[in-house]
Amino acid sequence: MKKNSGGILRPTSLRGSGLRRSGTAALLGVTAATFAVPAIAQEVEDEEEIQLETLQIEDRAADVNPYTSQGAPYKARVSADPRRVKPLAETPATITVVTETQMEEAGTTDLKEVLRLQPGVTIGTGENGNAFGDRYIIRGEEARSDVFVDGLRDPGMTTRESFAVDQVEITKGPSSTFAGRGASGGAVNAITKSASTDYSFHKVDLGVGTDSFWRGTLDTNWALGENVAIRANLLYANQDVPDRDPAYRERWGAAVSGLVRVSEDVRVQLDYYHLTAKDRPDLGVYVAASDENGYGETFDDLPSYAQDEDFLKSDVDTVTGRIFITPMDGFEIVNSTRYGESHNGYVATGARGDSTGGSISLSTHQGWQDVSYFVNQLNVIGRFETAGLAHNLIVGSEYSDHKVRNGTYATTTQGATNCEVAGWGGVRPAYCITDANGEQIIEDGAIRSLLQRDITKGSWDSLWHMRTLSFYAMDTVDVTPWLSLNGGVRADAIDFALSTYSASSDARTDYYINDTLWNGHAGVSLKPMEELMLYFTWSTGSNVNGGESDLGSNCGYGGLCVDQNVPLSAGKPESSESFEVGAKWDLFDDRLLLTVAAFQTTKDDVYETAGRGSDYTPSGSLNTGKTRVKGIEIGLVGNITDRLSAQIGGSIMDAKVLDSYSDANIGLTLANFADNQVTGQVRYQATDAFAFGVTGTYKSAMYAGQPDAAASYNAQIGRYTFRVPSSTVFDAFAEYKFNTNFSARINVQNIGDEDFYTAAYRSGAFLYKGDERRGTITLTGRF
């Protein structure tokens, strides 16, 4: 009997060819993936249950998420990160887990959409604020570089898909002990599907829907004996953005996992992942600046202004190898190595308003990025007792080498201008879609060919290279059955180099930073009763100046913050400190978890933009900012009754700038930060075969501004300059199981066809628009 990397114990009796037939094995898969309804439960009476001291071990089907609580597919029982040594109900941190079942039933496919439905998380602009892909903000802090796959940092800021994902784990609060540099507000860890020697299985999903929606996935696992298995997940998807022609999204991907059991004590796993994402992006609608009469008008009915030549394309390839060794009882060694590359580029069209009237003209936004990434991570995990104390000790090291080349596209417009607008730089010819009175002056179909761009790939403008050597140690000590202590420390030795190049002046500038970042966490957990845990925890995070690789030395986008009059060596790492007190109550035999947490995170020595010189020489402010986010988050996940399951969460937060290079920023909220959020997904098993559910999301208003800094504010009128309106959006789904092998699911996204917006462009002007109503039907076959 062996322990896998996720902390799930699986009897040897489930391995081998004996369960490759469609009978008991298939029924076990359906049982674990849905509620244990009576008709199915009657057919799996042979399910084994072994009692070994105080540890209960249950048979599980290999074709479902191995980390969930059995019979409660919305509730993850453990984290897939082996460094999280306790079940989630006993882990002293706020960790939200979205399982594969939740993602499938909600109809969410891109990781961006998965995270949008979570409390405490907002979605930033996917262009320019982060120029190359998805961007996430957790508890008010940037997390676009804090995305991990199976515990290893994900190379490149790309489009991310869920077709090969078992679950998504969102850690809230600074977590640099686990994640390394960054992770000021939290981190995202996607857990991929792995090959299993338990038995062979195959699952096919075919989806079709409105707005030319097509999606097909294949999940196939081949158990080639007791010691070898291969699993493949394949994807093709294509869809128009609802009612925003000519915008569209296209995906094709493959994830292949191979497993070899060298012996009872050694397993080797090799994974390959590829994704190509090709979009014609829609940058949303125009929003006017606030004035003395109120917040600016949002032009909800503005047609899509994406041009025929626009594109956003990502290619991602990664290879990951893992070795799992159990040298003796109570000890495990996990060594993981990954090499990855991504190639990303975009030319997109934005909206811009005339400063003297209501004309809306078009603007160009573009850039490309090539990324290569190597990492090796070693974890040694020991579970033992000394002097009556039970230890869960982890000692680890990590080396990473991350290289980024950024550049631009040269774009020229062949289309004729049709207006003149006033703005920065004076009056100039432009391409307008509305006149000064806000009336549309060009037909919808003609807008897409208004600019007629010629696009060529230009030279690089920044070379970013970060090498990091890390060592960490952490321990969870069970002092008594009701008292546990936990703590850890991590050192990240940073070797950072950045070169910027200006083609116009043929000038190159080189920057270097060598530093060591120290971070830690500590906490105490009390269990006044077996099902209830109370905890207090402290944690830190830090990031080196220039820690974001998006735009070189542009401090305003998270790049290297420099000043013409201040030496670079004068800067200090940004630092975050968090305090959290909470409770977790595990109910109904591990099938329902209630959580509540109060927290405060303070970020100090924040790099801010003080502006640019007249010659566009990069300038900035070193360590002039300080921010604070505090709040309460409540969660409920699992089975409320035998037929009703849910994941419901809510957060009430307050963000404030405590210090800044400008006194006018002090007291303001952070950009793209929602004070109040409520999200929920509820599922009801009406009959043995039929289930239905609804997903709802409420987010309060947000305001545009620079990442990790104060939202733009007009002191003369006493209002934030650009406002993202609050929104409430509902989705619905229904599923019918025809028999053991076949089922169908209907999804309707945004059933009220609401106009809602996920983020504001950094300097205002346009809002990123959420999808309008879409209906899909998915047919699933399991064999």
Side-chain angles (χ1 to χ4, degrees):
M1 194 172 296
K2 291 298 171 189
K3 187 176 189 303
N4 71 12
S5 61
I8 300 295
L9 287 168
R10 182 171 295 167
T12 306
S13 61
L14 262 185
R15 299 206 302 266
S17 60
L19 289 176
R20 293 184 199 171
R21 57 191 185 275
S22 61
T24 306
L27 287 173
L28 281 171
V30 174
T31 304
T34 59
F35 291 107
V37 295
I40 297 175
Q42 182 65 33
E43 298 182 53
V44 291
E45 293 177 348
D46 60 341
E47 179 173 321
E48 295 180 5
E49 185 171 295
I50 303 171
Q51 192 73 25
L52 178 61
E53 295 179 351
T54 61
L55 180 64
Q56 180 174 290
I57 305 167
E58 296 179 342
D59 284 0
R60 310 179 64 91
D63 54 332
V64 296
N65 181 355
Y67 311 107
T68 57
S69 295
Q70 189 164 4
Y74 281 14
K75 180 179 180 292
R77 189 175 69 86
V78 295
S79 167
D81 187 340
R83 296 172 299 181
R84 300 289 187 181
V85 296
K86 294 279 191 176
L88 290 172
E90 300 177 32
T91 299
T94 300
I95 302 177
T96 302
V97 178
V98 186
T99 66
E100 178 189 15
T101 301
Q102 282 181 265
M103 290 184 279
E104 288 181 345
E105 293 184 339
T108 51
T109 55
D110 283 1
L111 182 60
K112 177 175 61 177
E113 287 301 302
V114 174
L115 295 180
R116 183 183 65 81
L117 300 177
Q118 307 310 311
V121 181
T122 54
I123 304 300
T125 52
E127 181 279 325
N128 271 20
N130 164 32
F132 303 103
D134 298 344
R135 177 178 157 218
Y136 319 109
I137 300 169
I138 303 176
R139 288 184 175 175
E141 306 291 352
E142 279 279 3
R144 66 181 185 263
S145 292
D146 303 319
V147 180
F148 297 76
V149 174
D150 297 322
L152 301 177
R153 197 180 296 269
D154 192 31
M157 280 147 282
T158 63
T159 300
R160 295 177 172 91
E161 245 277 355
S162 63
F163 76 100
V165 172
D166 263 333
Q167 66 186 32
V168 177
E169 303 177 1
I170 306 123
T171 301
K172 315 282 182 66
S175 53
S176 284
T177 318
F178 293 88
R181 62 176 180 83
S184 297
V188 178
N189 189 19
I191 309 304
T192 59
K193 299 177 181 180
S194 299
S196 173
T197 58
D198 287 352
Y199 53 86
S200 297
F201 60 85
H202 317 283
K203 177 185 175 186
V204 179
D205 289 301
L206 298 174
V208 62
T210 59
D211 301 286
S212 301
F213 177 94
W214 301 91
R215 182 178 176 87
T217 62
L218 171 66
D219 181 3
T220 180
N221 183 84
W222 295 87
L224 307 176
E226 291 192 0
N227 298 315
V228 179
I230 297 176
R231 185 172 185 176
N233 283 267
L234 305 178
L235 161 74
Y236 178 75
N238 199 333
Q239 57 179 284
D240 292 337
V241 178
D243 297 325
R244 301 296 290 176
D245 183 66
Y248 70 87
R249 307 179 187 114
E250 187 175 15
R251 310 278 186 268
W252 55 93
V256 181
S257 174
L259 175 66
V260 177
R261 296 182 182 274
V262 180
S263 69
E264 284 296 306
D265 301 323
V266 179
R267 291 180 295 125
V268 178
Q269 183 174 322
L270 183 64
D271 299 336
Y272 169 73
Y273 175 86
H274 170 81
L275 178 70
T276 293
K278 186 178 180 181
D279 298 355
R280 180 173 290 140
D282 171 38
L283 297 193
V285 304
Y286 176 73
V287 60
S290 303
D291 58 23
E292 61 274 5
N293 297 317
Y295 289 110
E297 177 187 0
T298 300
F299 288 64
D300 295 328
D301 297 327
L302 193 69
S304 173
Y305 44 80
Q307 300 294 290
D308 284 332
E309 305 85 13
D310 288 0
F311 68 91
L312 171 61
K313 188 172 186 292
S314 297
D315 286 293
V316 181
D317 291 276
T318 62
V319 177
T320 306
R322 298 184 185 86
I323 301 175
F324 306 89
I325 303 173
T326 308
M328 64 184 72
D329 289 343
F331 280 85
E332 185 177 17
I333 300 172
V334 182
N335 186 259
S336 303
T337 302
R338 173 175 296 153
Y339 178 78
E341 292 185 355
S342 65
H343 306 280
N344 316 282
Y346 74 97
V347 174
T349 302
R352 179 177 293 166
D354 183 357
S355 62
T356 63
S359 297
I360 298 175
S361 61
L362 304 183
S363 56
T364 298
H365 307 267
Q366 50 77 30
W368 58 264
Q369 181 187 77
D370 294 332
V371 176
S372 65
Y373 185 73
F374 171 83
V375 60
N376 179 270
Q377 183 186 94
L378 174 67
N379 290 296
V380 180
I381 305 169
R383 300 171 178 87
F384 55 91
E385 288 191 8
T386 60
L389 303 178
H391 292 264
N392 291 270
L393 178 66
I394 301 163
V395 178
S397 66
E398 182 177 290
Y399 173 76
S400 63
D401 190 330
H402 191 176
K403 299 176 183 177
V404 180
R405 181 187 295 263
N406 293 321
T408 58
Y409 291 95
T411 63
T412 58
T413 53
Q414 305 298 323
T417 59
N418 64 351
C419 65
E420 290 187 342
V421 297
W424 185 85
V427 177
R428 57 178 178 77
Y431 300 86
C432 290
I433 55 178
T434 66
D435 61 18
N437 297 318
E439 298 294 328
Q440 188 171 327
I441 59 175
I442 187 170
E443 295 182 0
D444 290 0
I447 292 177
R448 61 191 297 173
S449 58
L450 186 59
L451 272 67
Q452 299 178 31
R453 292 191 184 97
D454 284 336
I455 302 170
T456 57
K457 187 175 181 179
S459 62
W460 67 274
D461 56 23
S462 72
L463 300 175
W464 185 97
H465 189 187
M466 180 81 75
R467 289 179 293 183
T468 308
L469 179 61
S470 309
F471 296 95
Y472 51 87
M474 52 191 91
D475 195 7
T476 299
V477 182
D478 294 329
V479 181
T480 70
W482 53 269
L483 173 63
S484 294
L485 306 176
N486 69 89
V489 63
R490 178 172 179 140
D492 292 284
I494 302 293
D495 182 5
F496 173 53
L498 173 68
S499 298
T500 62
Y501 175 72
S502 172
S504 60
S505 60
D506 192 25
R508 173 171 173 160
T509 306
D510 297 319
Y511 306 92
Y512 302 95
I513 297 176
N514 290 282
D515 204 351
T516 299
L517 310 180
W518 289 90
N519 288 286
H521 73 272
V524 58
S525 303
L526 300 173
K527 297 192 71 174
M529 61 182 69
E530 184 176 354
E531 299 82 7
L532 175 64
M533 183 189 74
L534 309 176
Y535 69 90
F536 170 82
T537 187
W538 162 88
S539 59
T540 69
S542 57
N543 203 2
V544 66
N545 186 8
E548 303 294 351
S549 60
D550 292 333
L551 286 171
S553 60
N554 193 325
C555 178
Y557 292 101
L560 187 70
C561 202
V562 297
D563 193 285
Q564 295 163 304
N565 302 313
V566 179
L568 186 62
S569 59
K572 297 184 294 183
E574 295 179 323
S575 60
S576 298
E577 183 179 46
S578 178
F579 298 93
E580 180 170 309
V581 59
K584 296 187 175 184
W585 197 359
D586 217 357
L587 302 170
F588 305 156
D589 194 24
D590 196 34
R591 294 195 176 189
L592 183 68
L593 179 64
L594 174 65
T595 63
V596 60
F599 60 88
Q600 176 174 294
T601 301
T602 304
K603 189 173 184 179
D604 211 343
D605 297 318
V606 177
Y607 296 101
E608 298 182 288
T609 296
R612 284 180 174 268
S614 59
D615 60 352
Y616 279 80
T617 302
S619 62
S621 301
L622 295 179
N623 304 122
T624 52
K626 185 176 183 179
T627 64
R628 184 191 66 206
V629 177
K630 59 182 179 180
I632 297 174
E633 183 168 332
I634 299 175
L636 178 71
V637 61
N639 289 5
I640 300 173
T641 71
D642 287 342
R643 294 186 177 270
L644 180 65
S645 61
Q647 183 179 68
I648 302 172
S651 60
I652 301 173
M653 301 184 291
D654 175 71
K656 183 176 292 186
V657 175
L658 302 180
D659 201 1
S660 174
Y661 72 90
S662 172
D663 291 342
N665 291 331
I666 297 176
L668 300 180
T669 192
L670 294 174
N672 279 323
F673 177 87
D675 287 342
N676 305 316
Q677 302 180 53
V678 179
T679 68
Q681 183 170 336
V682 180
R683 180 187 194 276
Y684 184 71
Q685 188 77 40
T687 70
D688 292 353
F690 178 67
F692 64 91
V694 65
T695 300
T697 306
Y698 166 78
K699 292 186 185 292
S700 60
M702 304 183 294
Y703 306 95
Q706 173 183 315
D708 281 347
S712 177
Y713 188 78
N714 189 331
Q716 293 181 341
I717 62 174
R719 287 189 179 90
Y720 290 99
T721 308
F722 295 99
R723 179 174 181 261
V724 183
S726 63
S727 63
T728 303
V729 180
F730 290 98
D731 307 332
F733 63 89
E735 182 178 40
Y736 187 82
K737 293 186 182 298
F738 300 102
N739 52 42
T740 301
N741 299 102
F742 295 100
S743 63
R745 187 183 69 251
I746 295 175
N747 288 88
V748 180
Q749 262 82 32
N750 193 357
I751 57 179
D753 204 21
E754 299 291 331
D755 289 313
F756 74 100
Y757 308 95
T758 61
Y761 181 59
R762 171 179 175 261
S763 58
F766 52 86
L767 304 179
Y768 282 66
K769 183 175 173 59
D771 282 358
E772 298 183 22
R773 181 165 52 218
R774 181 201 303 281
T776 62
I777 181 169
T778 302
L779 302 178
T780 299
R782 296 179 175 88
F783 309 97

